[in-house]
PDB file of all heavy atoms in Angstrom:
ATOM      1  N   TYR A 251      19.181   1.885  20.247  1.00  0.00           N
ATOM      2  CA  TYR A 251      20.100   1.588  21.262  1.00  0.00           C
ATOM      3  C   TYR A 251      21.527   1.867  21.020  1.00  0.00           C
ATOM      4  O   TYR A 251      22.457   1.629  21.841  1.00  0.00           O
ATOM      5  CB  TYR A 251      19.915   0.089  21.754  1.00  0.00           C
ATOM      6  CG  TYR A 251      18.748  -0.151  22.641  1.00  0.00           C
ATOM      7  CD1 TYR A 251      17.738  -1.000  22.228  1.00  0.00           C
ATOM      8  CD2 TYR A 251      18.674   0.440  23.887  1.00  0.00           C
ATOM      9  CE1 TYR A 251      16.634  -1.278  23.030  1.00  0.00           C
ATOM     10  CE2 TYR A 251      17.589   0.225  24.718  1.00  0.00           C
ATOM     11  CZ  TYR A 251      16.512  -0.663  24.247  1.00  0.00           C
ATOM     12  OH  TYR A 251      15.444  -0.893  24.995  1.00  0.00           O
ATOM     13  N   GLY A 252      21.815   2.263  19.689  1.00  0.00           N
ATOM     14  CA  GLY A 252      23.116   2.520  19.304  1.00  0.00           C
ATOM     15  C   GLY A 252      23.970   1.299  18.985  1.00  0.00           C
ATOM     16  O   GLY A 252      25.248   1.382  18.820  1.00  0.00           O
ATOM     17  N   VAL A 253      23.323   0.122  18.889  1.00  0.00           N
ATOM     18  CA  VAL A 253      24.051  -1.091  18.577  1.00  0.00           C
ATOM     19  C   VAL A 253      24.456  -1.073  16.985  1.00  0.00           C
ATOM     20  O   VAL A 253      25.578  -1.640  16.707  1.00  0.00           O
ATOM     21  CB  VAL A 253      23.158  -2.367  18.881  1.00  0.00           C
ATOM     22  CG1 VAL A 253      23.957  -3.614  18.444  1.00  0.00           C
ATOM     23  CG2 VAL A 253      22.925  -2.388  20.350  1.00  0.00           C
ATOM     24  N   HIS A 305      30.849   3.064  23.251  1.00  0.00           N
ATOM     25  CA  HIS A 305      29.630   3.798  23.120  1.00  0.00           C
ATOM     26  C   HIS A 305      28.386   3.076  23.203  1.00  0.00           C
ATOM     27  O   HIS A 305      27.320   3.499  23.833  1.00  0.00           O
ATOM     28  CB  HIS A 305      29.703   4.549  21.819  1.00  0.00           C
ATOM     29  CG  HIS A 305      28.535   5.514  21.481  1.00  0.00           C
ATOM     30  ND1 HIS A 305      28.279   6.598  22.111  1.00  0.00           N
ATOM     31  CD2 HIS A 305      27.405   5.347  20.641  1.00  0.00           C
ATOM     32  CE1 HIS A 305      27.265   7.286  21.834  1.00  0.00           C
ATOM     33  NE2 HIS A 305      26.707   6.495  20.879  1.00  0.00           N
ATOM     34  N   ILE A 306      28.329   1.761  22.662  1.00  0.00           N
ATOM     35  CA  ILE A 306      27.138   0.944  22.809  1.00  0.00           C
ATOM     36  C   ILE A 306      26.885   0.737  24.294  1.00  0.00           C
ATOM     37  O   ILE A 306      25.686   0.789  24.758  1.00  0.00           O
ATOM     38  CB  ILE A 306      27.360  -0.386  22.076  1.00  0.00           C
ATOM     39  CG1 ILE A 306      27.428  -0.211  20.554  1.00  0.00           C
ATOM     40  CG2 ILE A 306      26.292  -1.395  22.430  1.00  0.00           C
ATOM     41  CD1 ILE A 306      27.793  -1.415  19.802  1.00  0.00           C
ATOM     42  N   ASP A 307      27.933   0.364  25.049  1.00  0.00           N
ATOM     43  CA  ASP A 307      27.775   0.261  26.557  1.00  0.00           C
ATOM     44  C   ASP A 307      26.973   1.428  27.162  1.00  0.00           C
ATOM     45  O   ASP A 307      25.981   1.331  27.938  1.00  0.00           O
ATOM     46  CB  ASP A 307      28.994   0.017  27.222  1.00  0.00           C
ATOM     47  CG  ASP A 307      29.565  -1.392  26.995  1.00  0.00           C
ATOM     48  OD1 ASP A 307      28.750  -2.217  26.590  1.00  0.00           O
ATOM     49  OD2 ASP A 307      30.781  -1.653  27.319  1.00  0.00           O
ATOM     50  N   ARG A 308      27.502   2.604  26.736  1.00  0.00           N
ATOM     51  CA  ARG A 308      26.876   3.867  27.503  1.00  0.00           C
ATOM     52  C   ARG A 308      25.430   4.046  27.028  1.00  0.00           C
ATOM     53  O   ARG A 308      24.570   4.405  27.797  1.00  0.00           O
ATOM     54  CB  ARG A 308      27.708   5.131  27.041  1.00  0.00           C
ATOM     55  CG  ARG A 308      29.116   5.085  27.657  1.00  0.00           C
ATOM     56  CD  ARG A 308      29.688   6.415  27.665  1.00  0.00           C
ATOM     57  NE  ARG A 308      29.883   6.901  26.249  1.00  0.00           N
ATOM     58  CZ  ARG A 308      31.109   6.668  25.543  1.00  0.00           C
ATOM     59  NH1 ARG A 308      32.066   5.929  26.238  1.00  0.00           N
ATOM     60  NH2 ARG A 308      31.249   7.078  24.425  1.00  0.00           N
ATOM     61  N   GLN A 309      25.169   3.777  25.730  1.00  0.00           N
ATOM     62  CA  GLN A 309      23.742   3.905  25.216  1.00  0.00           C
ATOM     63  C   GLN A 309      22.810   2.974  25.850  1.00  0.00           C
ATOM     64  O   GLN A 309      21.752   3.387  26.328  1.00  0.00           O
ATOM     65  CB  GLN A 309      23.774   3.601  23.694  1.00  0.00           C
ATOM     66  CG  GLN A 309      24.399   4.755  22.780  1.00  0.00           C
ATOM     67  CD  GLN A 309      23.480   5.938  22.651  1.00  0.00           C
ATOM     68  OE1 GLN A 309      23.632   6.904  23.508  1.00  0.00           O
ATOM     69  NE2 GLN A 309      22.458   5.903  21.874  1.00  0.00           N
ATOM     70  N   VAL A 310      23.196   1.676  26.112  1.00  0.00           N
ATOM     71  CA  VAL A 310      22.307   0.739  26.602  1.00  0.00           C
ATOM     72  C   VAL A 310      22.049   0.936  28.081  1.00  0.00           C
ATOM     73  O   VAL A 310      20.982   0.890  28.521  1.00  0.00           O
ATOM     74  CB  VAL A 310      22.798  -0.821  26.421  1.00  0.00           C
ATOM     75  CG1 VAL A 310      21.990  -1.754  27.169  1.00  0.00           C
ATOM     76  CG2 VAL A 310      22.747  -1.008  24.875  1.00  0.00           C
ATOM     77  N   LEU A 311      23.166   1.303  28.852  1.00  0.00           N
ATOM     78  CA  LEU A 311      23.072   1.614  30.204  1.00  0.00           C
ATOM     79  C   LEU A 311      22.276   2.794  30.521  1.00  0.00           C
ATOM     80  O   LEU A 311      21.635   2.991  31.443  1.00  0.00           O
ATOM     81  CB  LEU A 311      24.428   1.639  30.864  1.00  0.00           C
ATOM     82  CG  LEU A 311      25.176   0.355  30.852  1.00  0.00           C
ATOM     83  CD1 LEU A 311      26.587   0.559  31.460  1.00  0.00           C
ATOM     84  CD2 LEU A 311      24.570  -0.676  31.794  1.00  0.00           C
TER      85      LEU A 311
END
Side-chain angles (χ1 to χ4, degrees):
Y251 282 117
V253 176
H305 179 71
I306 290 172
D307 282 345
R308 290 197 297 271
Q309 285 286 97
V310 174
L311 292 173

